[in-house]
Amino acid sequence: MIEFPMADRVAALPPYLFAEIDRVKAEVRSRGVDIISLGIGDPDLPTPEFIVEALCAGAKKPENHQYPDYVGLLAFRAAVADWYKARFGVTLDPAREVVSLIGSKEGIAHFPLAFVNPGDLVIVCSPNYPVYPVATGFCGGEVKVLPLTDANDYLPDLDSLTEAEWARAKMIFVNYPNNPTSAVAPRAFYEKLVAKARATKTIVVSDAAYTEMYYDPAEKPMSILEIEGAREVAIEFHSLSKTYNMTGWRIGMAVGNEQLVKGLGKIKENVDSGIFQAVQEAGIAALAKGEPFAEQFRGIYKERRDVAVAALAKMGIACRTPKASFYLWCKTPAGHTSAAFVTKVLQETGVVLTPGNGFGVPGEGFFRIAMTVPVARLEEALSRIAKL
């Protein structure tokens, strides 16, 4: 058989984090073990029915059966702008400062193609969503890891970068509320980041997919675009996936600096054909009427969070009580690496966790729990781990 070697950029990739977990999970399941997955952040709650109904109605329209616009229906982009105004007080021009995405992952992966040249420096705050460095590598960019640590409340030390590094940096990826650590960034951090980015002409890529998964209404996570001057340097990625339990629908948006949005739109013109318009119509309904449902979901995750944090404390496993997201970032027990502990738990209890080092070297010594199962199932999973 003829062998066709993959391109160097693909051959150099590490195994995708969740694909490797799925492989081990399948091996354990083949032994008849009851698997409880707290691994991938995929909501177990269904999409609200009114969104499903909007999709069904849209799917029946013949005009929606043709190629959609690459950058999205203007009506969807207007709905995004309306939502940003209501939620963050940010005014956006839907025609020039909003682009639709086939999920925020697609947009984040494609964005560096528009602005990163071979050899350009890209700063990745880590632990991180694995797509950031992968997308950078595909463009031939050089990744500079900026560690996020418990001591710094999982905020990057911007002053630890040299002036030469800031001068070289084409862009910096930040993600708050953070996956995997659940950290939330305060206004002061964004103000400092925006000031530094403006001074050094560095693009800020803000991944804000979890802003609506918060637990205290008095401490709602903010958008970087609320900061004065942010529109000069920032693009923000958001998604309907976690807010309305629409992970499988593949619909998101990028907003902010007109040049950055246009650059991403140029890439999309050449590599995809946009979101099925019926899905966009469902997205319009979600953005317009979904807040009561999002509030209900937050209550469900808060109950799960409180149950899990209490159970982990009884086990002696250190874990911060998250203010946002549906993740718990936990320290591995003494004497175990992240991968060794997660593998032990999976093989001996059938509970799937995510090793912290899968999110970058700074994640070593931690593991992530996704609270994406009902309370009873979550309690069962934690009780199995407690017996190890």
Side-chain angles (χ1 to χ4, degrees):
M1 180 181 294
I2 299 175
E3 292 189 9
F4 298 98
M6 292 186 180
D8 292 344
R9 69 179 67 87
V10 177
L13 287 174
Y16 187 61
L17 176 62
F18 298 118
E20 178 63 14
I21 290 173
D22 284 344
R23 185 190 66 78
V24 178
K25 183 169 63 176
E27 291 178 1
V28 175
R29 181 179 281 119
S30 69
R31 304 199 309 260
V33 176
D34 172 34
I35 298 290
I36 303 178
S37 182
L38 308 180
I40 297 179
D42 192 357
D44 60 305
L45 304 169
T47 305
E49 186 61 28
F50 80 95
I51 300 175
V52 177
E53 291 173 355
L55 171 71
C56 293
K60 293 178 180 179
K61 299 178 181 179
E63 61 267 31
N64 286 343
H65 300 172
Q66 297 176 303
Y67 284 124
D69 193 326
Y70 300 106
V71 296
L73 290 170
L74 184 58
F76 174 72
R77 288 178 283 149
V80 170
D82 290 343
W83 183 82
Y84 255 81
K85 181 65 175 179
R87 171 63 175 86
F88 300 112
V90 171
T91 300
L92 296 166
D93 180 345
R96 298 183 299 119
E97 297 177 318
V98 182
V99 61
S100 69
L101 305 173
I102 307 175
S104 60
K105 179 179 181 180
E106 172 264 306
I108 291 168
H110 283 144
F111 181 70
L113 290 170
F115 295 97
V116 176
N117 290 313
D120 282 347
L121 185 66
V122 174
I123 302 165
V124 173
C125 303
S126 181
N128 58 271
Y129 187 40
V131 177
Y132 310 151
V134 168
T136 300
F138 279 174
C139 299
E142 176 187 335
V143 173
K144 168 68 178 181
V145 172
L146 192 53
L148 306 177
T149 66
D150 185 62
N152 281 345
D153 292 327
Y154 294 104
L155 297 172
D157 181 0
L158 302 178
D159 295 329
S160 68
L161 295 170
T162 67
E163 289 303 313
E165 288 171 329
W166 275 114
R168 280 192 61 208
K170 178 62 69 73
M171 66 179 61
I172 179 172
F173 283 93
V174 295
N175 167 218
Y176 294 101
N178 184 259
N179 172 23
T181 71
S182 297
V184 177
R187 177 176 290 271
F189 166 75
Y190 282 127
E191 289 174 341
K192 183 172 184 176
L193 174 61
V194 168
K196 194 69 177 179
R198 291 174 69 191
T200 58
K201 298 182 180 178
T202 304
I203 297 168
V204 178
V205 182
S206 172
D207 180 356
Y210 294 91
T211 62
E212 304 316 291
M213 303 189 75
Y214 56 85
Y215 298 109
D216 184 349
E219 296 186 76
K220 294 181 181 180
M222 63 183 296
S223 163
I224 194 173
L225 296 175
E226 295 180 52
I227 303 301
E228 184 177 357
R231 201 182 302 254
E232 295 180 28
V233 293
I235 184 169
E236 185 160 84
F237 290 83
H238 218 302
S239 170
L240 278 63
S241 291
K242 308 299 166 67
T243 306
Y244 308 113
N245 304 329
M246 297 174 69
T247 51
W249 296 58
R250 308 319 302 142
I251 181 168
M253 59 278 202
V255 305
N257 179 279
E258 180 182 353
Q259 294 179 53
L260 302 181
V261 168
K262 183 178 180 180
L264 176 57
K266 191 68 175 177
I267 296 298
K268 290 176 64 61
E269 287 177 7
N270 288 277
V271 300
D272 74 49
S273 299
I275 308 167
F276 180 32
Q277 288 185 172
V279 172
Q280 293 186 65
E281 291 181 0
I284 293 169
L287 291 165
K289 301 185 294 183
E291 178 54 26
F293 296 88
E295 179 65 23
Q296 177 186 347
F297 301 148
R298 286 191 287 269
I300 292 170
Y301 288 122
K302 184 177 186 297
E303 180 186 10
R304 295 178 184 181
R305 179 200 68 174
D306 294 344
V307 165
V309 168
L312 290 164
K314 287 184 179 180
M315 289 182 230
I317 293 178
C319 170
R320 286 190 175 197
T321 301
K323 293 182 179 181
S325 87
F326 53 16
Y327 299 123
L328 298 172
W329 186 241
C330 312
K331 295 203 72 166
T332 55
H336 291 84
T337 65
S338 294
F341 179 71
V342 166
T343 300
K344 176 182 176 67
V345 169
L346 178 53
Q347 292 179 337
E348 297 184 20
T349 74
V351 175
V352 180
L353 306 172
T354 308
N357 64 315
F359 300 98
V361 173
E364 178 54 57
F366 293 85
F367 65 92
R368 193 192 73 177
I369 291 175
M371 299 180 288
T372 51
V373 296
V375 166
R377 197 72 167 147
L378 184 60
E379 290 176 324
E380 166 64 20
L382 293 168
S383 70
R384 293 186 195 179
I385 296 173
K387 294 174 184 176
L388 286 176

